[in-house]
Amino acid sequence: FVCADAILPNAQERLFKLKSSRLEVTLYTNFFTLIVMTITTTLSGDLPAVLKHAASNSQLACYLTVYTLIAYAAISTFMIIVKNYGGVTAVLLGTARKAMSIVLSFLLFPKEFSWMYVAGTACVLGGLTTISLVKQYKKADSHEPEKCETQPMIGKNIQSLRNK
């Protein structure tokens, strides 16, 4: 699902450029994610076991409710970052969050340290920072507003009807 992590913020950024609201982007993102996850869980054979476990455990409903509320807050915050700062910056912050989780893991559960951890972190964060800075530089350097490569079909059809 690494590809999904790369595709999703960019698709969300494109939807925001098409003037979609945060709630619309959240709804469609979660809906299509639900479809993909349902298909993959069904194909793996795990879906019946998950449904059986959910039906037999009443405490699970409480956990799912709390998780849903926390996830909604996290997704809303992520969408605001994508909308205001772009997909690359959102991925950079997500990666930084994961890196902080790893640092916290080293602090709470000591393990043998290797400089390869530092080198890997520097490469990933350095690459994402470079991409973000280049993108911001190009945006500031261009004097024309950003154009979206795709146009909505409805607007195009209405415009062609008006011209006739």
Side-chain angles (χ1 to χ4, degrees), residues 93-154:
L93 287 174
T95 303
R97 179 193 59 81
K98 292 171 188 171
M100 291 305 296
S101 295
I102 292 170
V103 169
L104 189 59
S105 169
F106 274 99
L107 293 175
L108 296 177
F109 308 103
K111 53 186 84 47
E112 189 175 326
F113 181 78
S114 168
W115 284 102
M116 295 303 283
Y117 293 122
V118 176
T121 301
C123 287
V124 170
L125 293 179
L128 287 171
T129 303
T130 302
I131 290 169
S132 180
L133 291 173
V134 167
K135 186 176 180 181
Q136 288 179 359
Y137 176 76
K138 285 182 179 179
K139 185 187 268 187
D141 197 31
S142 107
H143 297 291
E144 59 186 62
E146 287 189 30
K147 296 178 183 174
C148 188
E149 296 169 5
T150 58
Q151 297 296 323
M153 291 300 293
I154 295 173

Side-chain angles (χ1 to χ4, degrees), residues 29-159:
T29 300
N30 288 338
F31 178 72
F32 290 118
T33 302
L34 173 68
I35 290 171
V36 170
M37 294 303 292
T38 301
I39 291 170
T40 57
T41 308
T42 301
L43 292 175
S44 71
D46 291 334
L47 187 61
V50 168
L51 294 175
K52 182 180 177 184
H53 180 67
S56 67
N57 190 343
S58 61
Q59 190 177 19
L60 186 59
C62 180
Y63 289 145
L64 286 174
T65 302
V66 170
Y67 175 79
T68 301
L69 294 173
I70 293 170
Y72 179 77
I75 290 168
S76 294
T77 303
F78 184 79
M79 292 293 174
I80 291 168
I81 293 169
V82 170
K83 185 174 185 177
N84 292 334
Y85 302 104
V88 174
T89 303
V91 171
L92 176 64
L93 287 174
T95 303
R97 179 193 59 81
K98 292 171 188 171
M100 291 305 296
S101 295
I102 292 170
V103 169
L104 189 59
S105 169
F106 274 99
L107 293 175
L108 296 177
F109 308 103
K111 53 186 84 47
E112 189 175 326
F113 181 78
S114 168
W115 284 102
M116 295 303 283
Y117 293 122
V118 176
T121 301
C123 287
V124 170
L125 293 179
L128 287 171
T129 303
T130 302
I131 290 169
S132 180
L133 291 173
V134 167
K135 186 176 180 181
Q136 288 179 359
Y137 176 76
K138 285 182 179 179
K139 185 187 268 187
D141 197 31
S142 107
H143 297 291
E144 59 186 62
E146 287 189 30
K147 296 178 183 174
C148 188
E149 296 169 5
T150 58
Q151 297 296 323
M153 291 300 293
I154 295 173
K156 185 177 180 182
N157 290 339
I158 291 173
Q159 202 170 31

